[in-house]
Amino acid sequence: MGPATAGPTEDTAGRAPAPRPATASARRNRRGSRAERLAPLVLLAPAILIIAGLRLWPLLLGINFSFTGDGARNGMNVGLDNYLTLLHDPLFRTALRNVGLLVLLLPVAVAIPGLLATFIFLKVPGHRLYRGVYFFPAVLSPVIVGAIFNLLLAFDGPLNALLGGLGIGPVDWLGNPDVAIFAVVGVHIWATFGMALVVFLAGFATLDSSVLDAAKVDGASLPQTIWHVIIPSLSRTIQFVFVTTMIGMLTSMFGLLYVMTGGGPAGSTYLPEYYVWIQQGQMNQPALASAASTALFLIMLVVGLGQIGILRRAGKED
Amino acid sequence: MKQRTLWTAALVVGLAFTAGCGSASGPGSSSGGSSDKLVVWDWKSGDPKAASYIQKAKADFAKKHPGVNLEFVAQPFDQYYTLLGAAIQSGKGPDVIMFNGGGKIRDRSDALAPLDSYIADDRQRLTGWDAFAKDGKTYAEPVTLQGHPIYYNKDLYQKAGLNPDAPATTLDEFIKNCGVITQKTGAKCFALGNKEGFGIQFWLSALGSAVLTPQEYDDWIAGKRNWSSPDVKQIFELWKQAGDTGLNTDGANSTAMFNDAFAAFSSGKAANVIGLMSDVGHWKDFAEFLTPEKIGVMQAPLVNPAAKPSLPYDGGIGYAVAKWTKDPKLAADVVRSLTSTEPLQAFSLDGGAIASDTTIDIAKSGPAAKAIVAEVKTGKPALHVALSSTTVDLMGRLSQQLLSDSITVDDVLAQLAASDKTG
């Protein structure tokens, strides 16, 4: 299109004295198109520079730093020593095991808001109130949530008093190495499921009500309706909640851990993030901490790519 | 057209800014450096109890170096060593740095300037130097002494019909007294918080001198630690027994030492607590509920007849000079002002801290403070302070396992020995 119209103009320009306005407009066109070609680059540049300069470059520096030593070997190249230390550190292994545990608990963390959203959608009595109540914890900071549950779950706290009233012995929720991680994850789910609930409700808003009516007419029970109608229609929403909940669990439990258990008892509630912080800040081993963050980065990369893959496949099905 | 030029200009300016942000080493540094201003980092100067201490130290320094500005930057203690780690990595930061004694400063001594040539005049007046020394060089001057006296609640002893002025001298007697107190008042024997793993550190150091022989004790401090010795084993066995027999307040593993365990002691839920001498968790800290005359200080009750109980203490906090400061002598003078007698006297009076200065007057402090100061002369360095941070951290976790009954004492000692060997 461009050359075809440009050709004749040049021809006329060659034959007769150039009509000024025409050349000017051609030049402007050409300059305009160059500006248009550059514009996206210029407009993208701030974002790219910020990502490259403040994310990727420090990331590379951090990975590079993880191959150097700590303390007396500060600045020396130690190869894979830090990674070997990590592999042999029972604390880091516990942290990785806890990541695995989080992945296993993920279905629970997704099912709870899903079920509650279903009840709200089906308009159980008081659903308006529940909608607000369920979302409420999402506005609290993890430190406040942690402090509240520190009191509730204390050995002489209300929960144990309640259990005592029922004749069940007190449980040291945050002091028993076998129980503490579940207590913290439970509190994390409690504190964050409101967001997922809202996403589910938004998903419900797109549900085709005629399908639900048809199910009702056909005499489907509630579990049958959930299983055969609601879940299949919401598959994309559910996948989205899976991804965001997983990311939330892996990256934003630090505040709760810090306030509720401090990684204890006996290191049983360590997560890689917490391990990085302890090694850098408390143990003065920044290079080892870098190695741990690199490992955490790789884990996140694998989990993230896996989830993107799943989402993409689900998108194609649609 | 004009508008587009404006947009481009705006973008170019914006880019120039972001590019500046992106570069790894920006020009200039905001803290430290210039010789007419010195920057001090600590976590105390924001505390009202330390206000007159800081003010007096500043006045002392201004007298010696008029025209040099001192800027105190109070960092939150939670983040202190994290922030400091970043400063050390970048080789820029404060000129004068507050440190805890022991592992915290030794691990970071590479970033500090030795002070030995500037502080000869203070050697005699101050005590607690060892906690700030490594390989024969001194890196900081002590401000307070930190140690682990055993505090007891005289009221509870009285209510149980025991003589509050004659506490037990042997462990058997001590435990028997505890039984009486628990029976008569319902209070537990020890207020214990081991959520952070601090409980075992206090236990090891407070009872160590009553279990180890003087020879074993000195060897331990000198770095010749025999983790398989029966005496060392007994300290950890006693820890486990205290947990198993219910001497401690409930839920020790989920109770924070700071300040839930101390609150349990000051509110009379337990008769004894292994506390601190400075900063927090000391006699003046309990004063909200327990007036100073109701707080007693006892020597570690004897376990091994061959042992000689003594007060375990080291230099608590101190000020060091960064390696990168322009004029180390000037920075050392800041440290000397911060450890001169008058400011320390104010700190001791307002904060209740046991100061490193042996010449200050403690007449106005409580009886507990006097009892502690009286024992400072015969005191010895605390056992846990001699361990590396890694070993102390491991010990904290193992102690939690001992309390939750998921490990044996022998296993604990084997792991600690291995960690102690590698540093």
Side-chain angles (χ1 to χ4, degrees):
Chain A
M1 185 78 176
T5 45
T9 325
E10 267 167 36
D11 282 350
T12 28
R15 255 181 271 135
R20 256 197 204 166
T23 15
S25 84
R27 207 181 298 146
R28 198 188 304 149
N29 272 345
R30 221 175 302 143
R31 202 192 307 154
S33 62
R34 191 192 297 150
E36 266 163 38
R37 260 182 286 129
L38 286 179
L41 294 179
V42 173
L43 290 169
L44 278 176
I48 289 177
L49 281 181
I50 288 174
I51 291 176
L54 297 179
R55 292 266 163 133
L56 296 180
W57 179 238
L59 182 72
L60 289 177
L61 286 180
I63 293 174
N64 183 40
F65 189 57
S66 73
F67 295 109
T68 64
D70 283 311
R73 298 199 295 168
N74 190 9
M76 283 161 56
N77 184 4
V78 297
L80 289 171
D81 271 13
N82 286 325
Y83 292 91
L84 290 177
T85 312
L86 283 184
L87 270 184
H88 292 115
D89 186 348
L91 207 52
F92 190 70
R93 288 208 298 260
T94 310
L96 289 186
R97 213 170 23 245
N98 283 339
V99 169
L101 186 70
L102 289 184
V103 175
L104 289 182
L105 288 174
L106 192 57
V108 181
V110 175
I112 290 174
L115 262 183
L116 294 174
T118 309
F119 291 144
I120 290 175
F121 175 67
L122 296 175
K123 299 201 166 52
V124 294
H127 63 276
R128 265 176 238 274
L129 173 73
Y130 287 129
R131 196 171 46 193
V133 169
Y134 290 154
F135 187 70
F136 175 65
V139 304
L140 295 176
S141 98
V143 175
I144 294 171
V145 171
I148 292 172
F149 276 89
N150 265 351
L151 294 174
L152 289 178
L153 300 178
F155 193 84
D156 51 359
L159 182 61
N160 274 338
L162 196 72
L163 288 180
L166 297 173
I168 305 169
V171 179
D172 198 357
W173 296 103
L174 301 175
N176 185 330
D178 301 326
V179 179
I181 183 74
F182 293 100
V184 178
V185 173
V187 172
H188 177 76
I189 293 176
W190 176 85
T192 54
F193 84 89
M195 228 19 126
L197 184 99
V198 171
V199 175
F200 271 120
L201 285 177
F204 277 120
T206 65
L207 264 190
D208 189 351
S209 59
S210 59
V211 183
L212 279 174
D213 290 339
K216 211 179 275 174
V217 170
D218 289 344
S221 65
L222 179 63
Q224 281 172 326
T225 314
I226 293 177
W227 187 249
H228 293 292
V229 180
I230 294 181
I231 291 184
S233 338
L234 281 185
S235 60
R236 303 217 55 195
T237 310
I238 294 173
Q239 274 154 1
F240 177 76
V241 172
F242 255 98
V243 173
T244 50
T245 309
M246 187 71 230
I247 292 172
M249 275 188 161
L250 283 181
T251 58
S252 56
M253 281 195 38
F254 180 87
L256 273 187
L257 285 181
Y258 183 77
V259 174
M260 290 180 69
T261 63
S268 64
T269 55
Y270 261 75
L271 285 178
E273 212 187 355
Y274 195 78
Y275 182 89
V276 170
W277 183 79
I278 288 282
Q279 293 302 338
Q280 199 285 116
Q282 307 302 304
M283 299 291 145
N284 197 32
Q285 296 186 309
L288 184 64
S290 280
S293 350
T294 307
L296 177 61
F297 172 71
L298 291 178
I299 293 170
M300 294 296 289
L301 202 64
V302 169
V303 171
L305 287 178
Q307 285 175 332
I308 289 174
I310 292 171
L311 276 185
R312 195 171 286 158
R313 208 178 312 143
K316 271 184 196 146
E317 277 167 19
D318 277 14
Chain B
M1 189 74 192
K2 206 173 186 184
Q3 210 173 8
R4 196 186 293 163
T5 324
L6 269 178
W7 269 109
T8 320
L11 270 175
V12 168
V13 171
L15 282 183
F17 273 121
T18 44
C21 295
S23 74
S25 55
S29 124
S30 57
S31 55
S34 76
S35 59
D36 53 356
K37 189 180 116 190
L38 291 172
V39 177
V40 184
W41 273 22
D42 60 22
W43 61 88
K44 275 282 160 202
S45 55
D47 184 351
K49 284 181 198 160
S52 84
Y53 160 63
I54 298 288
Q55 199 197 344
K56 290 208 159 107
K58 269 182 177 171
D60 185 86
F61 183 74
K63 230 177 353 189
K64 290 176 196 154
H65 298 280
V68 180
N69 267 322
L70 273 189
E71 187 192 341
F72 281 82
V73 181
Q75 307 279 16
F77 183 64
D78 289 354
Q79 295 296 328
Y80 189 76
Y81 289 102
T82 309
L83 294 168
L84 189 59
I88 290 174
Q89 277 307 321
S90 69
K92 277 182 230 148
D95 304 284
V96 175
I97 312 169
M98 176 180 267
F99 270 102
N100 292 99
K104 285 278 193 285
I105 189 167
R106 288 194 192 113
D107 289 352
R108 293 163 178 84
S109 60
D110 289 349
L112 303 175
L115 297 182
D116 300 83
S117 53
Y118 312 116
I119 53 171
D121 294 347
D122 296 336
R123 281 276 174 202
Q124 285 307 310
R125 184 171 56 86
L126 303 179
T127 177
W129 293 98
D130 289 350
F132 300 105
K134 187 183 176 184
D135 302 332
K137 288 186 187 143
T138 304
Y139 290 96
E141 284 204 87
V143 171
T144 61
L145 301 180
Q146 190 59 286
H148 302 285
I150 304 176
Y151 295 102
Y152 64 97
N153 182 334
K154 288 188 175 176
D155 251 7
L156 286 175
Y157 272 72
Q158 196 141 33
K159 274 184 199 150
L162 301 163
N163 180 358
D165 295 318
T169 53
T170 68
L171 190 71
D172 290 340
E173 196 190 337
F174 177 81
I175 290 175
K176 210 173 71 195
N177 286 352
C178 274
V180 177
I181 292 171
T182 306
Q183 199 192 354
K184 294 241 171 98
T185 67
K188 294 274 188 176
C189 186
F190 281 112
L192 179 64
N194 199 38
K195 180 175 172 177
E196 313 92 333
F198 293 148
I200 186 71
Q201 303 174 20
F202 289 27
W203 182 269
L204 172 66
S205 288
L207 289 185
S209 68
V211 184
L212 303 186
T213 64
Q215 185 61 46
E216 279 178 316
Y217 200 105
D218 295 344
D219 284 351
W220 176 291
I221 298 298
K224 288 177 278 178
R225 290 180 276 275
N226 179 6
W227 291 92
S228 49
S229 111
D231 287 342
V232 172
K233 186 177 176 182
Q234 189 166 19
I235 299 177
F236 288 87
E237 267 172 354
L238 287 171
W239 164 264
K240 186 170 160 51
Q241 278 165 24
D244 290 349
T245 54
L247 292 185
N248 302 323
T249 42
D250 290 330
N253 271 351
S254 56
T255 307
M257 173 79 83
F258 306 100
N259 285 314
D260 294 350
F262 293 134
F265 172 72
S266 51
S267 61
K269 284 185 188 143
N272 310 282
V273 71
I274 301 171
L276 294 166
M277 286 157 50
S278 296
D279 291 316
V280 287
H282 58 80
W283 62 275
K284 192 156 183 168
D285 229 28
F286 305 135
E288 201 182 335
F289 295 106
L290 276 179
T291 49
E293 69 276 3
K294 285 184 189 158
I295 298 171
V297 176
M298 71 169 85
Q299 245 185 0
L302 199 65
V303 180
N304 175 1
K308 253 185 83 185
S310 59
L311 176 73
Y313 80 91
D314 297 88
I317 53 177
Y319 283 99
V321 170
K323 193 175 60 180
W324 54 75
T325 189
K326 289 230 173 81
D327 183 352
K329 171 144 188 9
L330 187 66
D333 274 352
V334 177
V335 174
R336 293 199 59 200
S337 287
L338 282 161
T339 49
S340 55
T341 302
E342 210 183 322
L344 288 181
Q345 173 92 55
F347 198 23
S348 157
L349 212 57
D350 295 350
I354 304 295
S356 58
D357 191 324
T358 50
T359 64
I360 65 172
D361 178 20
I362 51 156
K364 285 187 201 149
S365 302
K370 279 180 207 156
I372 294 169
V373 171
E375 285 191 50
V376 161
K377 277 214 172 64
T378 55
K380 288 183 175 184
L383 295 179
H384 78 267
V385 178
L387 302 173
S388 74
S389 331
T390 321
T391 307
V392 165
D393 184 61
L394 176 66
M395 184 168 73
R397 278 180 274 125
L398 295 173
S399 74
Q400 292 167 337
Q401 283 185 279
L402 279 176
L403 286 185
S404 64
D405 221 3
S406 46
I407 199 169
T408 64
V409 172
D410 287 320
D411 215 357
V412 167
L413 293 171
Q415 287 196 38
L416 287 176
S419 165
D420 195 24
K421 207 188 284 171
T422 58

